Amino acid sequence: EKLNVSSAGILEPIKGAGTKLESVISSSEQRQPRPSDMLTTLHDPQALLSGFVPTGETYALAARISGVAKTAFPEGLVIEQAPEVAVSENGEADVAAAPVQELLMPKHQSNENIQVIIVADTDVLSDRLWVQVQNFFGQQIVSPWADNGSFLLNGLENLSGQAELISIRSQGRFSRPFERVDALRRDAEERLLAQQELLEEELNNTEETLIALESARDETDGAMFTQEQEDELLKFQQQKLKIRKQLRDVQHQLDQDIEQLGTKLKLINILLIPGLICLIAVFGAYRKRFQASA
């Protein structure tokens, strides 16, 4: 019912590959790929919305790979093990001069039909994404609040048996959202985001000006301010309050269109549909009476 990922990647099939990629978890169409190096310098998640333009495509976040596959290391893989540490009688550690190298050969060069599930997120099983751990009289009690663990168990059972068996398992709840409402919400967010950014920038400039004026007041006697300076300080304080009010109005406008649409839907369900049913019933009764009299 609910699956959380942290910073998921995108899985795409390679041209000419002998395997088949079937999407298990996919994104919606309101997505846009972003370079992973953005996360190294990201301080505010709100910055991800800057320049966001959905591509209208869906992307595979987890996929099942099946088909013919060959090893990527037919000649083996050389690994380096950590140097052996020997402890002398006086307790001093004697480290070997060079690490030990070992050649690992694959047990199988190819497979006619592999079955693999790949998730493009290494954090999918991290506790913070799907369980809550609490201490209860010295024991740790784990309470799942998402279905990441169920996804793992279902994947293992699916890979260990026939793919058709998954259809007889109990299904989780699913929702059928109002697409019109979701589209209105996205349009409102995109329309008001630019206005909100402009207001926040104007608010920051106003606060910087107020700080500079207050600093000038502290450095000199406040009574030495001229009337023009006092008026300017008051003007910026009023402007700051005005901008804050405009920001609140922008945030409130976000749900206005959705509330109006909900009201229209309620009126249609409460008045229009029953009215049509009544008209059809009256017309049917009138027609029967007319046919009986004829």
Side-chain angles (χ1 to χ4, degrees):
E1 297 176 4
K2 183 177 182 180
L3 187 67
N4 294 322
V5 294
S6 178
S7 53
I10 299 174
L11 299 174
E12 296 178 345
I14 300 176
K15 293 182 179 180
T19 53
K20 178 183 178 182
L21 186 145
E22 297 175 286
S23 177
V24 176
I25 304 174
S26 60
S27 68
S28 68
E29 296 180 353
Q30 298 296 321
R31 294 293 181 267
Q32 179 189 21
R34 291 298 185 96
S36 57
D37 54 6
M38 287 186 62
L39 299 178
T40 59
T41 58
L42 183 65
H43 301 289
D44 183 11
Q46 189 74 14
L48 292 174
L49 292 176
S50 178
F52 173 76
V53 179
T55 60
E57 300 180 8
T58 59
Y59 302 96
L61 310 182
R64 177 170 181 161
I65 313 296
S66 59
V68 181
K70 297 181 180 180
T71 177
F73 307 98
E75 298 178 357
L77 179 65
V78 177
I79 63 171
E80 292 186 354
Q81 296 182 352
E84 297 181 359
V85 178
V87 180
S88 59
E89 295 180 356
N90 56 5
E92 296 181 357
D94 183 15
V95 182
V100 180
Q101 293 186 347
E102 182 181 0
L103 176 63
L104 296 181
M105 295 297 298
K107 295 181 179 180
H108 304 282
Q109 293 288 335
S110 63
N111 191 293
E112 295 298 327
N113 188 20
I114 65 169
Q115 298 293 332
V116 181
I117 292 180
I118 300 178
V119 181
D121 184 17
T122 57
D123 301 319
V124 67
L125 293 180
S126 299
D127 289 350
R128 61 185 178 88
L129 290 181
W130 69 286
V131 295
Q132 182 180 8
V133 182
Q134 295 178 337
N135 290 323
F136 184 75
F137 293 104
Q139 294 183 348
Q140 287 189 339
I141 306 299
V142 179
S143 303
W145 53 274
D147 296 316
N148 294 31
S150 299
F151 172 75
L152 173 64
L153 293 177
N154 290 345
L156 292 175
E157 292 185 5
N158 179 251
L159 292 175
S160 62
Q162 297 294 327
E164 292 77 10
L165 295 178
I166 198 68
S167 60
I168 64 175
R169 292 184 60 88
S170 59
Q171 303 295 319
R173 294 189 301 269
F174 65 93
S175 62
R176 299 180 62 183
F178 290 102
E179 296 181 356
R180 178 60 178 167
V181 174
D182 291 342
L184 281 175
R185 185 183 297 276
R186 288 193 298 269
D187 293 341
E189 290 177 351
E190 293 175 1
R191 185 178 68 253
L192 299 177
L193 179 61
Q195 184 179 358
Q196 182 177 350
E197 290 177 349
L198 289 175
L199 289 173
E200 288 178 350
E201 183 179 358
E202 187 177 354
L203 178 62
N204 292 333
N205 295 335
T206 303
E207 289 179 344
E208 291 177 359
T209 305
L210 283 173
I211 292 174
L213 290 174
E214 293 292 345
S215 300
R217 178 193 287 271
D218 294 338
E219 293 176 358
T220 59
D221 187 2
M224 299 298 294
F225 263 27
T226 64
Q227 186 62 36
E228 294 180 356
Q229 291 173 327
E230 290 287 351
D231 293 342
E232 185 178 7
L233 181 62
L234 180 61
K235 182 185 71 174
F236 278 107
Q237 289 176 344
Q238 292 176 348
Q239 184 178 359
K240 178 180 178 180
L241 296 177
K242 181 180 178 181
I243 295 174
R244 288 189 179 276
K245 182 178 181 302
Q246 290 177 346
L247 272 174
R248 289 194 297 269
D249 293 340
V250 168
Q251 295 169 354
H252 291 160
Q253 287 175 7
L254 184 62
D255 294 330
Q256 265 189 353
D257 293 340
I258 299 174
E259 292 177 358
Q260 292 177 359
L261 178 62
T263 303
K264 292 179 181 178
L265 291 175
K266 289 179 181 178
L267 291 175
I268 291 174
N269 291 330
I270 295 173
L271 299 178
L272 182 59
I273 301 301
L276 289 175
I277 294 175
C278 292
L279 288 176
I280 293 173
V282 171
F283 177 76
Y286 177 78
R287 185 178 180 182
K288 287 183 179 179
R289 181 178 296 180
F290 177 78
Q291 291 176 350
S293 61

